[in-house]
Amino acid sequence: MARADEIEAHYAGGALRSRTRPGTDELHVRGREATLELAALAELREGERVLDVGAGLGGPARTLAERYGVRVVGVDLTAAFVEAARELTRKVGLDDRIEFVHADALALPFPDDSFDVAWTQHAAMNVPDKAGLYAELHRVVRPGGRLAVYDVVAGAGGEPEYPLPWASRRELSFLVSAEELRRLLEGAGFRVGAVRDVSDSGRAWSQARAAEEAGPAFANLGRALEDGRLELVQLVAATDGADG
């Protein structure tokens, strides 16, 4: 099985089975709470056009459209996610403000300067070509626009144990440190501004989730956040032409 197929199967296997449960449509640590934190950090404004890369089941896109009045295009490499996201969005009556597209984040089907904000949460861990990813995001964000990121990064404590929520084994996970993430973003043309370490709150959430879930993925994540093998960061970066 190809690596992309393995990643798709890893996510779709559990996430799609639980998509009707309240609170399970945001597939990142701390769910909606973290989405709202990142939106505040990014200072989203009504009417802005947002690209959600790695949109999953569409939970964050729906949160942003409903709470902030933005228009969202969500992209995901997993076709089953795109189908489910469209279905759920129609059911809550937000399909006039949100569109979902089956696409590769390394080859986005949009013209240059199409969006005010690019947004990604817990997606880059499965992308080996991070330089290509951030270059493509920079291409589609207009001058003066922003990139909002919430991701798991490598800490100084060594290799985490697998499985983890985004990867069943090490070969499917592509982590960089917070310092390397900054270098990659700057190399793509972004200027990194606000940065927030949210590892502590993520650790508490992961440990609570581990008590509810069968399997070791969330327990491994909680331990790795506790001993510094993994960290959680939220950040906002700007393209040339932005204020500040």
Side-chain angles (χ1 to χ4, degrees):
M1 181 182 290
R3 178 174 289 164
D5 292 339
E6 288 186 83
I7 292 170
E8 179 170 351
H10 175 80
Y11 278 105
L16 289 174
R17 283 197 299 271
S18 64
R19 74 176 194 258
T20 58
R21 290 171 50 203
T24 58
D25 64 347
E26 300 211 16
L27 307 179
H28 53 266
V29 173
R30 296 173 55 234
R32 183 182 175 94
E33 181 181 10
T35 294
L36 294 174
E37 284 182 356
L38 186 60
L41 196 66
E43 299 181 343
L44 293 186
R45 297 184 285 272
E46 185 175 355
E48 287 191 310
R49 186 168 163 84
V50 177
L51 175 67
D52 182 2
V53 176
L57 299 175
R62 290 187 289 274
T63 294
L64 298 182
E66 186 173 31
R67 177 68 68 94
Y68 292 92
V70 298
R71 303 186 71 85
V72 186
V73 177
V75 300
D76 206 282
L77 191 60
T78 300
F81 277 8
V82 174
E83 180 182 351
R86 289 170 178 164
E87 174 192 341
L88 293 169
T89 301
R90 283 193 300 269
K91 285 183 176 179
V92 298
L94 289 171
D95 50 321
D96 60 332
R97 286 182 266 171
I98 307 171
E99 175 187 1
F100 294 99
V101 178
H102 181 215
D104 186 342
L106 296 174
L108 293 166
F110 310 112
D112 296 356
D113 308 335
S114 294
F115 298 93
D116 301 295
V117 180
W119 171 283
T120 178
Q121 299 186 100
H122 287 31
M125 300 103 71
N126 290 127
V127 179
D129 182 10
K130 297 190 194 306
L133 170 66
Y134 298 128
E136 186 68 347
L137 297 184
H138 188 274
R139 180 186 69 78
V140 300
V141 174
R142 66 168 176 82
R146 305 172 319 279
L147 169 65
V149 174
Y150 174 38
D151 264 329
V152 183
V153 297
E159 185 73 23
E161 297 173 87
Y162 289 85
L164 288 163
W166 65 90
S168 57
R169 54 193 177 87
R170 184 182 185 277
E171 290 77 12
L172 304 179
S173 181
F174 307 94
L175 299 172
V176 296
S177 67
E179 293 77 13
E180 188 174 356
L181 174 58
R182 176 185 285 270
R183 288 195 296 271
L184 286 163
L185 292 172
E186 291 173 346
F190 288 104
R191 292 185 291 107
V192 178
V195 180
R196 178 186 293 155
D197 186 321
V198 292
S199 302
D200 287 346
S201 51
R203 180 184 69 248
W205 182 94
S206 299
Q207 290 170 340
R209 186 71 179 271
E212 302 170 357
E213 296 276 343
F218 285 100
N220 288 342
L221 176 60
R223 284 193 295 270
L225 289 170
E226 184 170 17
D227 63 22
R229 287 175 291 167
L230 295 176
E231 299 171 358
L232 284 164
V233 296
Q234 295 175 337
L235 64 85
V236 177
T239 59
D240 291 340
D243 296 333

